[in-house]
Amino acid sequence: MNFHARSAWLEGRAVADVRIAVSAGRITAVTPGVPAEPGDTVLGGLVLPGFANAHSHAFHRGLRGRTHGDGGTFWTWRTAMYALAAKLTPEVYRELATAAFTEMVLAGFTAVGEFHYLHHRPDGTPHEDPNAFALALRDAARTAGIRLVLLDALYLTSAPGEPPLPEQRRFSDGTAQAWARRVRQIPADEFFRVGVAAHSVRAVGPADLAVVAETAWDLGAPVHVHLSEQPAENEACRRAYGCTPTELLDRAGALSPALTVVHANHVTDADVALLGARQASVVACPTTEADLGDGVGRYRALADAGSVLALGTDQHAVVDPFAETRGLEGASRLGSLRRGVFAPAELLAALTTGGHRILGLDGGTLAVGQPADLVAVRTDSVRTAGSDPAQIAMTASAQDVTDVVVAGEPVVRAGVHRAVPEGRLVEVLGSFA
């Protein structure tokens, strides 16, 4: 199947009348300034490379709109999250994740990094298949039509040196070695890649970080970690180890270009310099960080220091790639008291090239040899009419996504998902109320 874009994002600018030829799921030719040929699928608006959602916890989608009434903090929200996790079986999770991933595809995401720590039964004992939850996520992604990078997370302690809380037992494999053995058994394929993660320095001590790094090396996989999301995490790390979480990762030999840290809201000047010097990447999750009161990340400073930036929807209080780009810019403006902290092209890069890079995936550009993952965004809606197409990241919303193509196959056409009816999404998501 071949495509014709009335306008497409090529090399950092919008170009008119672009024909995109596709074979075996990859782009074989990109020809600007030509009319559509018979049989081409015509895509209106502005066609962008598929977006990568670099940080997701799919089961958190079951909490949307039900945790705001009593205010509280990140830590009180976490209590509600644990209560939801306690109810999930692999079968129920498959339904919830299918809905969450489908919502992502409708919004323009063609790849997702699922930071996965819900592993076992509530008492911590494995299912008959110890990767039952991972396979449920795989099946959900296949139904939704999204590329999935499963970032299987090691989770051993509730705080440095402390055993898991009862509600955390299902997250833990007991030892880093048992976790690594289980992860190596997960069957991967072209659309389901396996990566690894250390949940955080609260949940993984310095000695076990080496096991995570070794497993990632053996699998040729990306490695992610939550970092300095809350001040309490930094304080606990200083008490236990006499340093910041970033410094602890560096002491353990974990800081490298292969590592991606998530959030980094409360990093010091020295942390910023260290992350940049080691070329570690950073995922910002602006809508989640605002929802949970995490604080404002130092993302401009991190990018200037040398870190690649990507974006994630994390707990899915909002699933809208453009809300994330505006959140990144908006928070940075509030923190710096100036406008234009990130250029629009930088915001789109965080959604596209940055996200694919940190997930270990090809993609993020409309170029020969790249996956044929395409997103068409309206430029004539009440939100986008009159906008400079180069600034679409500052005006569009998920509602403006009309078509989504994954590996050359239309998954969303005229705003309708080919496999999952909207009514089914509403039914599943409503069941968690």
Side-chain angles (χ1 to χ4, degrees), residues 154 156 173-184 207-208 211:
L154 176 63
L156 296 176
D173 289 280
T175 67
Q177 291 73 24
W179 165 82
R181 286 193 296 272
R182 180 181 54 73
V183 171
R184 293 171 193 272
D208 291 318
V211 179

Side-chain angles (χ1 to χ4, degrees), residues 267-339:
V267 288
T268 66
D269 289 345
D271 292 339
V272 170
L274 195 54
L275 288 162
R278 300 289 187 264
Q279 297 182 290
S281 300
V282 181
V283 181
C285 304
T287 61
T288 287
E289 289 154 6
D291 183 72
L292 297 181
D294 285 340
V296 176
R298 301 181 61 191
Y299 295 118
R300 180 73 265 174
L302 287 159
D304 290 343
S307 294
V308 171
L309 296 186
L311 290 164
T313 63
D314 195 354
Q315 57 130 344
H316 319 305
V318 177
V319 173
D320 185 332
F322 301 107
E324 302 301 340
T325 59
R326 285 193 294 278
L328 178 59
E329 172 64 16
S332 299
R333 290 183 185 188
L334 291 171
S336 66
L337 304 181
R338 66 184 180 91
R339 301 181 76 244

Side-chain angles (χ1 to χ4, degrees), residues 50-61 64 93 96-115 137 140-141 144-149 311-322 324 351 359 374-375 397-399 401 403-406 411-412 417 420 425 429:
F51 306 144
N53 187 349
H55 187 70
S56 163
H57 301 294
F59 79 90
H60 292 186
R61 176 60 182 84
R64 182 187 294 175
Y93 198 11
L96 177 55
T98 298
F101 291 153
T102 301
E103 185 180 13
M104 292 178 203
V105 175
L106 287 164
F109 289 113
T110 58
V112 59
E114 178 65 22
F115 198 107
L137 287 164
I146 196 168
R147 300 180 190 271
L148 174 62
V149 178
L311 290 164
T313 63
D314 195 354
Q315 57 130 344
H316 319 305
V318 177
V319 173
D320 185 332
F322 301 107
E324 302 301 340
L351 275 180
L359 294 177
L374 317 173
V375 176
S397 78
Q399 292 172 280
V401 172
D403 296 87
V404 180
V405 175
V406 179
V411 181
V412 174
H417 195 278
V420 186
L425 296 180
L429 295 172

Side-chain angles (χ1 to χ4, degrees), residues 250-276:
D250 195 48
R251 290 180 188 179
L255 279 191
S256 75
L259 181 71
T260 293
V261 303
V262 183
H263 301 304
N265 295 104
H266 300 283
V267 288
T268 66
D269 289 345
D271 292 339
V272 170
L274 195 54
L275 288 162

